[in-house]
Amino acid sequence: MSIQGDKSERPPFFKLSETPVRLTTYLRGVVSDPASVIPADIYDQWVAPPKIPGGPLVITRPETVRDILRDKDARFGRNKQLRTMMRRVWGKGLAAAEGDDWAQQRRAVAPAFRPDRVAKTRRAFEQATRTAIDQWPTDQPIDADVEIGPIVAAMLAGSILPDLDPARGREISQDIPKFVEDMTRFGLLDLVPMPEKWLDWYRGTGRTKAEQRMRQLAAAIADKRASGPDELADLPALMRGHGPLADNILGFMPAGFETTARAIGWGLFLLARHPEWQERLRAEARASADGAERPLARQVAQESLRLYPPAPIMVRSAICKTEIEGQRLKPGQVAMIAVFAMHRHRRLWDQPDMFRPERFAPDSGTNLDGFLPFGSGPRLCIAAQFALTEIEVALSEIVRNRQIEAFGPEPEVSLKITTHAVNGIKLLVRPMSTSPADMILKETQ
Protein backbone atom coordinates (compact mmCIF):
# COMPACT_ATOMS: atom_id res chain seq x y z
CA MET A 1 0.00 0.00 0.00
CA SER A 2 1.32 3.42 -0.80
CA ILE A 3 0.43 7.07 -0.72
CA GLN A 4 2.43 9.21 -3.10
CA GLY A 5 1.31 12.63 -4.23
CA ASP A 6 -2.28 12.31 -5.41
CA LYS A 7 -2.27 8.54 -5.79
CA SER A 8 -2.98 5.85 -3.26
CA GLU A 9 -4.19 2.30 -2.93
CA ARG A 10 -6.32 0.67 -0.31
CA PRO A 11 -4.99 -2.35 1.60
CA PRO A 12 -5.67 -5.71 -0.02
CA PHE A 13 -8.62 -6.89 2.03
CA PHE A 14 -9.43 -10.49 1.20
CA LYS A 15 -12.05 -10.44 -1.58
CA LEU A 16 -14.41 -13.09 -0.30
CA SER A 17 -17.09 -12.21 -2.83
CA GLU A 18 -14.70 -12.90 -5.71
CA THR A 19 -12.28 -15.54 -4.47
CA PRO A 20 -13.28 -19.03 -3.31
CA VAL A 21 -11.86 -19.85 0.10
CA ARG A 22 -11.74 -22.94 2.28
CA LEU A 23 -13.90 -22.82 5.39
CA THR A 24 -10.93 -23.52 7.67
CA THR A 25 -8.98 -20.65 6.09
CA TYR A 26 -11.91 -18.31 6.59
CA LEU A 27 -12.44 -19.35 10.22
CA ARG A 28 -8.73 -19.03 10.98
CA GLY A 29 -8.82 -15.50 9.59
CA VAL A 30 -11.88 -14.59 11.67
CA VAL A 31 -10.08 -15.68 14.83
CA SER A 32 -6.46 -14.67 14.24
CA ASP A 33 -6.64 -11.72 11.83
CA PRO A 34 -10.17 -10.32 11.32
CA ALA A 35 -9.03 -7.73 8.76
CA SER A 36 -8.09 -10.57 6.40
CA VAL A 37 -11.73 -11.59 5.92
CA ILE A 38 -13.26 -8.15 5.34
CA PRO A 39 -14.63 -7.84 1.77
CA ALA A 40 -12.92 -5.31 -0.47
CA ASP A 41 -16.20 -3.59 -1.33
CA ILE A 42 -16.74 -2.46 2.28
CA TYR A 43 -15.26 0.93 1.29
CA ASP A 44 -18.46 1.52 -0.69
CA GLN A 45 -21.02 -0.34 1.43
CA TRP A 46 -22.39 0.19 4.94
CA VAL A 47 -22.56 -3.50 5.75
CA ALA A 48 -21.14 -6.81 4.58
CA PRO A 49 -23.41 -9.74 5.54
CA PRO A 50 -21.85 -12.89 7.03
CA LYS A 51 -20.31 -15.18 4.42
CA ILE A 52 -21.24 -18.27 6.43
CA PRO A 53 -24.06 -18.84 8.94
CA GLY A 54 -23.06 -17.31 12.23
CA GLY A 55 -20.08 -15.49 10.70
CA PRO A 56 -19.13 -11.88 11.44
CA LEU A 57 -21.21 -8.96 10.26
CA VAL A 58 -18.96 -6.14 8.98
CA ILE A 59 -20.19 -2.58 9.55
CA THR A 60 -19.03 0.89 8.51
CA ARG A 61 -22.09 3.14 8.93
CA PRO A 62 -21.10 5.68 11.65
CA GLU A 63 -24.52 5.85 13.33
CA THR A 64 -24.69 2.06 13.64
CA VAL A 65 -21.11 1.84 14.85
CA ARG A 66 -21.77 4.37 17.60
CA ASP A 67 -24.94 2.56 18.64
CA ILE A 68 -22.97 -0.66 19.05
CA LEU A 69 -20.13 0.97 20.98
CA ARG A 70 -22.41 2.99 23.25
CA ASP A 71 -24.64 -0.07 23.70
CA LYS A 72 -27.38 1.64 25.68
CA ASP A 73 -29.57 -1.46 25.42
CA ALA A 74 -26.83 -3.83 26.64
CA ARG A 75 -26.97 -5.93 23.47
CA PHE A 76 -23.22 -6.29 22.92
CA GLY A 77 -20.11 -7.28 24.80
CA ARG A 78 -16.55 -8.29 24.10
CA ASN A 79 -15.99 -11.46 22.16
CA LYS A 80 -13.85 -14.28 23.54
CA GLN A 81 -10.64 -13.31 21.74
CA LEU A 82 -10.85 -9.68 22.88
CA ARG A 83 -11.48 -10.71 26.49
CA THR A 84 -8.54 -13.12 26.32
CA MET A 85 -6.23 -10.48 24.86
CA MET A 86 -7.20 -7.93 27.50
CA ARG A 87 -6.70 -10.47 30.29
CA ARG A 88 -3.26 -11.42 28.99
CA VAL A 89 -2.11 -7.79 28.69
CA TRP A 90 -3.98 -6.08 31.54
CA GLY A 91 -4.58 -8.94 33.99
CA LYS A 92 -7.31 -7.46 36.20
CA GLY A 93 -6.41 -3.87 35.33
CA LEU A 94 -8.52 -1.13 33.80
CA ALA A 95 -8.97 -2.26 30.19
CA ALA A 96 -9.75 -5.85 31.22
CA ALA A 97 -12.09 -4.96 34.08
CA GLU A 98 -15.88 -4.98 33.84
CA GLY A 99 -18.80 -3.42 35.71
CA ASP A 100 -18.19 -1.54 38.95
CA ASP A 101 -14.54 -2.61 39.04
CA TRP A 102 -13.95 -0.97 35.64
CA ALA A 103 -15.87 2.18 36.61
CA GLN A 104 -13.87 2.58 39.82
CA GLN A 105 -10.52 2.19 38.08
CA ARG A 106 -11.50 4.57 35.28
CA ARG A 107 -12.60 7.26 37.74
CA ALA A 108 -9.33 6.86 39.63
CA VAL A 109 -7.10 7.45 36.61
CA ALA A 110 -9.25 10.10 34.90
CA PRO A 111 -7.50 13.13 36.52
CA ALA A 112 -4.25 12.22 34.73
CA PHE A 113 -5.93 12.89 31.39
CA ARG A 114 -7.96 16.02 32.14
CA PRO A 115 -7.54 18.73 29.46
CA ASP A 116 -5.80 21.12 31.85
CA ARG A 117 -3.35 18.40 32.90
CA VAL A 118 -2.65 17.42 29.29
CA ALA A 119 -2.02 21.07 28.38
CA LYS A 120 0.66 21.26 31.05
CA THR A 121 2.54 18.34 29.50
CA ARG A 122 3.27 20.12 26.22
CA ARG A 123 6.61 21.55 27.26
CA ALA A 124 7.75 18.18 28.60
CA PHE A 125 6.69 16.57 25.30
CA GLU A 126 8.59 19.21 23.33
CA GLN A 127 11.76 18.70 25.33
CA ALA A 128 11.47 14.92 25.10
CA THR A 129 11.25 15.13 21.30
CA ARG A 130 14.14 17.59 20.94
CA THR A 131 16.42 15.50 23.16
CA ALA A 132 15.64 12.25 21.34
CA ILE A 133 16.01 13.51 17.77
CA ASP A 134 19.37 15.07 18.58
CA GLN A 135 20.59 11.46 18.67
CA TRP A 136 19.22 10.57 15.24
CA PRO A 137 21.77 9.91 12.49
CA THR A 138 21.83 12.44 9.65
CA ASP A 139 23.85 10.42 7.14
CA GLN A 140 21.78 7.25 7.04
CA PRO A 141 18.09 6.32 7.12
CA ILE A 142 16.28 5.75 10.39
CA ASP A 143 13.76 3.05 11.20
CA ALA A 144 10.81 4.99 12.60
CA ASP A 145 9.64 2.02 14.67
CA VAL A 146 12.99 2.03 16.50
CA GLU A 147 13.80 5.73 16.78
CA ILE A 148 10.39 6.99 17.87
CA GLY A 149 10.34 4.69 20.90
CA PRO A 150 12.72 6.85 22.99
CA ILE A 151 10.56 9.90 22.24
CA VAL A 152 7.43 8.23 23.58
CA ALA A 153 9.31 6.83 26.58
CA ALA A 154 10.58 10.28 27.48
CA MET A 155 7.09 11.74 27.04
CA LEU A 156 5.61 9.17 29.42
CA ALA A 157 8.46 9.64 31.89
CA GLY A 158 7.82 13.37 31.87
CA SER A 159 4.12 13.03 32.58
CA ILE A 160 2.18 9.98 33.77
CA LEU A 161 4.99 7.44 34.38
CA PRO A 162 7.90 9.32 36.01
CA ASP A 163 9.45 6.06 37.23
CA LEU A 164 10.03 4.96 33.63
CA ASP A 165 13.67 5.36 32.64
CA PRO A 166 13.83 7.16 29.26
CA ALA A 167 17.20 5.50 28.66
CA ARG A 168 15.32 2.22 28.31
CA GLY A 169 13.00 3.66 25.68
CA ARG A 170 14.63 1.86 22.76
CA GLU A 171 14.63 -1.49 24.56
CA ILE A 172 11.00 -1.10 25.66
CA SER A 173 9.82 -0.01 22.21
CA GLN A 174 11.45 -3.10 20.72
CA ASP A 175 9.92 -5.41 23.34
CA ILE A 176 6.38 -4.06 23.10
CA PRO A 177 5.55 -5.22 19.53
CA LYS A 178 6.81 -8.70 20.41
CA PHE A 179 4.81 -8.63 23.64
CA VAL A 180 1.64 -7.55 21.80
CA GLU A 181 2.19 -10.19 19.13
CA ASP A 182 2.49 -12.89 21.79
CA MET A 183 -0.60 -11.68 23.65
CA THR A 184 -2.70 -11.66 20.46
CA ARG A 185 -1.75 -15.05 19.07
CA PHE A 186 -4.97 -16.90 18.22
CA GLY A 187 -6.02 -19.77 15.97
CA LEU A 188 -8.71 -22.36 15.35
CA LEU A 189 -8.01 -23.99 18.71
CA ASP A 190 -9.41 -20.87 20.38
CA LEU A 191 -12.85 -21.86 19.07
CA VAL A 192 -12.73 -25.07 21.12
CA PRO A 193 -14.13 -24.87 24.68
CA MET A 194 -11.23 -25.50 27.05
CA PRO A 195 -9.68 -23.89 30.13
CA GLU A 196 -7.96 -20.58 29.34
CA LYS A 197 -4.80 -21.62 31.16
CA TRP A 198 -4.41 -24.53 28.72
CA LEU A 199 -4.62 -22.19 25.76
CA ASP A 200 -2.19 -19.78 27.39
CA TRP A 201 0.29 -22.61 27.87
CA TYR A 202 -0.15 -23.75 24.27
CA ARG A 203 0.37 -20.19 22.95
CA GLY A 204 3.49 -19.73 25.09
CA THR A 205 2.07 -16.99 27.29
CA GLY A 206 4.60 -15.99 29.94
CA ARG A 207 7.57 -17.72 28.34
CA THR A 208 9.01 -15.13 25.94
CA LYS A 209 11.90 -12.87 26.94
CA ALA A 210 10.05 -9.73 25.82
CA GLU A 211 7.03 -10.52 28.00
CA GLN A 212 9.20 -11.40 30.99
CA ARG A 213 11.11 -8.11 30.73
CA MET A 214 7.87 -6.13 30.42
CA ARG A 215 6.32 -7.81 33.45
CA GLN A 216 9.48 -7.37 35.51
CA LEU A 217 9.59 -3.65 34.67
CA ALA A 218 5.92 -3.16 35.62
CA ALA A 219 6.38 -5.10 38.86
CA ALA A 220 9.47 -3.07 39.79
CA ILE A 221 7.66 0.23 39.29
CA ALA A 222 4.62 -1.05 41.22
CA ASP A 223 6.82 -2.20 44.12
CA LYS A 224 8.56 1.17 44.23
CA ARG A 225 5.24 3.05 44.26
CA ALA A 226 3.26 0.67 46.48
CA SER A 227 3.09 3.39 49.09
CA GLY A 228 3.44 7.19 48.79
CA PRO A 229 4.27 9.86 48.10
CA ASP A 230 0.58 10.65 48.01
CA GLU A 231 1.00 14.20 46.73
CA LEU A 232 2.03 12.94 43.29
CA ALA A 233 -0.76 12.85 40.74
CA ASP A 234 0.83 10.54 38.19
CA LEU A 235 -0.61 7.24 37.05
CA PRO A 236 0.82 4.97 39.80
CA ALA A 237 -0.29 7.38 42.54
CA LEU A 238 -3.80 7.74 41.14
CA MET A 239 -4.32 4.00 40.64
CA ARG A 240 -2.81 2.82 43.91
CA GLY A 241 -5.61 1.19 45.85
CA HIS A 242 -7.87 1.10 42.77
CA GLY A 243 -7.13 -2.15 41.03
CA PRO A 244 -3.86 -4.09 40.67
CA LEU A 245 -1.06 -1.53 40.23
CA ALA A 246 1.40 -3.79 38.37
CA ASP A 247 -1.33 -4.93 35.96
CA ASN A 248 -2.29 -1.34 35.16
CA ILE A 249 1.30 -0.19 34.66
CA LEU A 250 1.92 -3.14 32.35
CA GLY A 251 -1.26 -2.45 30.39
CA PHE A 252 -0.63 1.27 29.99
CA MET A 253 2.85 0.71 28.54
CA PRO A 254 1.79 -0.98 25.27
CA ALA A 255 -1.32 1.22 25.17
CA GLY A 256 0.86 4.31 25.55
CA PHE A 257 3.79 3.15 23.42
CA GLU A 258 2.41 1.10 20.58
CA THR A 259 -0.43 3.26 19.31
CA THR A 260 1.34 6.60 19.78
CA ALA A 261 4.62 5.48 18.23
CA ARG A 262 2.81 3.95 15.25
CA ALA A 263 0.81 7.13 14.72
CA ILE A 264 3.91 9.34 14.83
CA GLY A 265 5.64 7.05 12.35
CA TRP A 266 2.73 7.21 9.91
CA GLY A 267 2.57 10.98 10.33
CA LEU A 268 6.24 11.29 9.35
CA PHE A 269 5.68 8.93 6.43
CA LEU A 270 2.91 11.18 5.14
CA LEU A 271 4.88 14.38 5.71
CA ALA A 272 7.82 12.91 3.81
CA ARG A 273 5.56 12.60 0.79
CA HIS A 274 4.04 16.02 1.25
CA PRO A 275 6.90 18.50 1.74
CA GLU A 276 4.49 21.43 1.41
CA TRP A 277 2.93 20.37 4.72
CA GLN A 278 6.36 20.03 6.26
CA GLU A 279 6.97 23.66 5.39
CA ARG A 280 3.68 24.71 6.94
CA LEU A 281 4.36 22.84 10.17
CA ARG A 282 7.93 24.14 10.26
CA ALA A 283 6.78 27.73 9.97
CA GLU A 284 4.12 27.19 12.64
CA ALA A 285 6.61 25.57 15.04
CA ARG A 286 9.15 28.35 14.65
CA ALA A 287 6.51 31.00 15.20
CA SER A 288 5.00 29.33 18.27
CA ALA A 289 6.00 29.79 21.88
CA ASP A 290 7.00 26.71 23.86
CA GLY A 291 3.95 24.94 25.24
CA ALA A 292 1.56 26.63 22.82
CA GLU A 293 -1.02 24.72 20.78
CA ARG A 294 -0.18 24.23 17.11
CA PRO A 295 -3.40 23.91 15.08
CA LEU A 296 -1.79 22.85 11.80
CA ALA A 297 0.21 20.13 13.52
CA ARG A 298 -2.98 18.91 15.19
CA GLN A 299 -4.72 18.73 11.79
CA VAL A 300 -1.84 16.64 10.42
CA ALA A 301 -2.03 14.37 13.48
CA GLN A 302 -5.77 13.89 12.98
CA GLU A 303 -5.43 13.21 9.26
CA SER A 304 -2.69 10.68 9.99
CA LEU A 305 -5.01 8.96 12.46
CA ARG A 306 -7.75 8.94 9.85
CA LEU A 307 -5.60 7.31 7.18
CA TYR A 308 -3.82 4.97 9.59
CA PRO A 309 -6.01 4.50 12.70
CA PRO A 310 -4.18 2.73 15.55
CA ALA A 311 -7.08 0.30 16.05
CA PRO A 312 -8.20 -0.58 12.50
CA ILE A 313 -10.78 -3.14 13.62
CA MET A 314 -13.10 -3.19 16.64
CA VAL A 315 -15.10 -6.26 17.52
CA ARG A 316 -18.20 -6.75 19.64
CA SER A 317 -20.20 -9.91 20.27
CA ALA A 318 -24.00 -10.07 20.49
CA ILE A 319 -25.20 -10.94 23.99
CA CYS A 320 -28.74 -11.67 22.88
CA LYS A 321 -30.70 -12.02 19.67
CA THR A 322 -30.66 -8.68 17.92
CA GLU A 323 -30.87 -7.03 14.53
CA ILE A 324 -28.30 -4.69 12.98
CA GLU A 325 -28.57 -3.13 9.53
CA GLY A 326 -31.35 -5.54 8.64
CA GLN A 327 -29.23 -8.53 9.63
CA ARG A 328 -30.19 -10.84 12.50
CA LEU A 329 -27.44 -11.75 14.94
CA LYS A 330 -27.54 -14.70 17.31
CA PRO A 331 -25.97 -14.66 20.78
CA GLY A 332 -22.21 -14.90 20.39
CA GLN A 333 -22.22 -13.69 16.79
CA VAL A 334 -19.69 -10.97 16.04
CA ALA A 335 -20.25 -7.43 14.79
CA MET A 336 -16.97 -6.33 13.21
CA ILE A 337 -16.44 -2.56 12.98
CA ALA A 338 -14.07 -1.79 10.10
CA VAL A 339 -12.60 1.50 11.34
CA PHE A 340 -9.90 1.60 8.67
CA ALA A 341 -12.50 1.28 5.91
CA MET A 342 -14.85 3.75 7.61
CA HIS A 343 -12.03 6.31 7.71
CA ARG A 344 -11.66 5.93 3.92
CA HIS A 345 -15.27 5.30 3.01
CA ARG A 346 -16.37 6.78 -0.30
CA ARG A 347 -19.72 7.89 1.10
CA LEU A 348 -18.18 9.69 4.07
CA TRP A 349 -15.12 11.50 2.77
CA ASP A 350 -14.20 13.68 -0.18
CA GLN A 351 -11.15 12.10 -1.84
CA PRO A 352 -10.95 9.58 0.99
CA ASP A 353 -7.47 8.23 0.24
CA MET A 354 -5.88 11.66 -0.12
CA PHE A 355 -3.75 13.27 2.59
CA ARG A 356 -5.69 16.46 3.27
CA PRO A 357 -5.19 17.73 6.83
CA GLU A 358 -7.25 20.84 6.06
CA ARG A 359 -10.39 18.72 6.35
CA PHE A 360 -9.88 19.00 10.14
CA ALA A 361 -9.69 22.79 10.16
CA PRO A 362 -12.44 24.34 12.33
CA ASP A 363 -14.08 26.06 9.35
CA SER A 364 -13.74 23.18 6.87
CA GLY A 365 -17.34 22.06 7.17
CA THR A 366 -16.20 18.41 7.07
CA ASN A 367 -18.57 15.92 8.64
CA LEU A 368 -16.45 14.02 11.14
CA ASP A 369 -19.06 11.45 12.18
CA GLY A 370 -16.96 8.77 10.51
CA PHE A 371 -13.79 9.62 12.45
CA LEU A 372 -13.29 7.23 15.37
CA PRO A 373 -9.56 6.65 15.93
CA PHE A 374 -10.04 6.17 19.68
CA GLY A 375 -13.40 4.43 19.71
CA SER A 376 -16.65 5.75 21.16
CA GLY A 377 -19.02 5.23 24.05
CA PRO A 378 -18.08 4.23 27.61
CA ARG A 379 -14.93 2.46 26.42
CA LEU A 380 -13.64 5.48 24.52
CA CYS A 381 -9.87 5.59 25.05
CA ILE A 382 -9.40 7.59 28.24
CA ALA A 383 -6.03 8.88 26.99
CA ALA A 384 -7.31 10.06 23.59
CA GLN A 385 -6.44 13.75 24.02
CA PHE A 386 -3.17 12.86 25.74
CA ALA A 387 -2.14 10.68 22.76
CA LEU A 388 -3.29 13.26 20.21
CA THR A 389 -1.17 15.90 21.95
CA GLU A 390 1.85 13.58 21.94
CA ILE A 391 1.49 13.03 18.19
CA GLU A 392 0.93 16.72 17.45
CA VAL A 393 3.96 17.84 19.45
CA ALA A 394 6.28 15.13 18.12
CA LEU A 395 5.47 15.83 14.46
CA SER A 396 5.82 19.58 14.97
CA GLU A 397 9.15 19.37 16.80
CA ILE A 398 10.68 16.83 14.43
CA VAL A 399 10.10 18.99 11.34
CA ARG A 400 10.96 22.27 13.10
CA ASN A 401 14.64 22.05 12.10
CA ARG A 402 14.70 18.88 10.01
CA GLN A 403 13.68 17.80 6.54
CA ILE A 404 11.99 14.40 6.32
CA GLU A 405 12.46 12.34 3.17
CA ALA A 406 11.18 8.93 2.18
CA PHE A 407 13.66 6.09 1.84
CA GLY A 408 13.49 2.56 0.54
CA PRO A 409 10.45 0.48 -0.39
CA GLU A 410 6.89 1.51 0.34
CA PRO A 411 5.56 0.34 3.72
CA GLU A 412 3.53 -2.87 3.49
CA VAL A 413 0.46 -2.22 5.60
CA SER A 414 -0.94 -4.79 8.00
CA LEU A 415 -4.18 -4.27 9.91
CA LYS A 416 -3.59 -7.10 12.33
CA ILE A 417 -4.25 -5.70 15.83
CA THR A 418 -2.71 -2.30 14.97
CA THR A 419 -2.17 -0.48 11.68
CA HIS A 420 1.52 -1.04 11.09
CA ALA A 421 4.09 -1.53 8.37
CA VAL A 422 5.38 -5.10 8.36
CA ASN A 423 8.60 -3.95 6.66
CA GLY A 424 8.96 -0.83 8.79
CA ILE A 425 8.97 2.85 7.86
CA LYS A 426 12.38 4.08 6.70
CA LEU A 427 13.12 7.80 6.52
CA LEU A 428 15.99 10.18 5.91
CA VAL A 429 16.09 13.01 8.44
CA ARG A 430 18.30 15.89 7.36
CA PRO A 431 19.15 18.87 9.58
CA MET A 432 18.08 22.33 8.47
CA SER A 433 19.20 25.78 9.51
CA THR A 434 17.47 27.17 12.59
CA SER A 435 18.02 30.72 11.42
CA PRO A 436 15.48 32.33 9.04
CA ALA A 437 18.31 34.52 7.73
CA ASP A 438 20.38 31.44 6.90
CA MET A 439 17.39 29.98 5.06
CA ILE A 440 16.95 33.14 2.98
CA LEU A 441 20.68 33.15 2.18
CA LYS A 442 20.49 29.51 1.15
CA GLU A 443 17.55 30.22 -1.18
CA THR A 444 19.52 33.00 -2.96
CA GLN A 445 22.61 30.89 -3.57
Side-chain angles (χ1 to χ4, degrees), residues 368-389:
L368 300 180
D369 287 348
F371 182 61
L372 291 176
F374 299 107
S376 182
R379 292 276 181 175
L380 171 74
C381 176
I382 195 170
Q385 289 305 309
F386 181 89
L388 185 56
T389 301

Side-chain angles (χ1 to χ4, degrees), residues 70-106:
R70 290 170 182 168
D71 195 28
K72 294 180 179 179
D73 300 324
R75 295 180 296 163
F76 292 93
R78 295 175 168 184
N79 71 327
K80 178 183 176 183
Q81 282 70 44
L82 182 56
R83 290 197 307 271
T84 298
M85 179 183 72
M86 290 300 179
R87 174 183 56 78
R88 289 173 178 172
V89 176
W90 287 84
K92 296 183 179 180
L94 175 61
E98 300 285 351
D100 291 341
D101 185 21
W102 167 80
Q104 181 189 36
Q105 292 190 52
R106 189 174 176 97

Side-chain angles (χ1 to χ4, degrees), residues 346-386:
R346 292 180 181 177
R347 299 188 190 182
L348 294 173
W349 305 93
D350 179 36
Q351 298 178 303
D353 299 310
M354 293 278 293
F355 177 68
R356 291 181 51 198
E358 66 270 17
R359 54 175 112 235
F360 288 94
D363 59 352
S364 70
T366 303
N367 186 338
L368 300 180
D369 287 348
F371 182 61
L372 291 176
F374 299 107
S376 182
R379 292 276 181 175
L380 171 74
C381 176
I382 195 170
Q385 289 305 309
F386 181 89

Side-chain angles (χ1 to χ4, degrees), residues 55 58 67 80 101 135 157-158 177 185 222 245 263 281 290 303 307 351 361 373 427 445:
V58 184
D67 284 346
K80 178 183 176 183
D101 185 21
Q135 309 302 314
R185 188 172 288 121
L245 188 54
L281 263 61
D290 284 358
E303 179 71 340
L307 289 168
Q351 298 178 303
L427 302 165
Q445 289 177 343

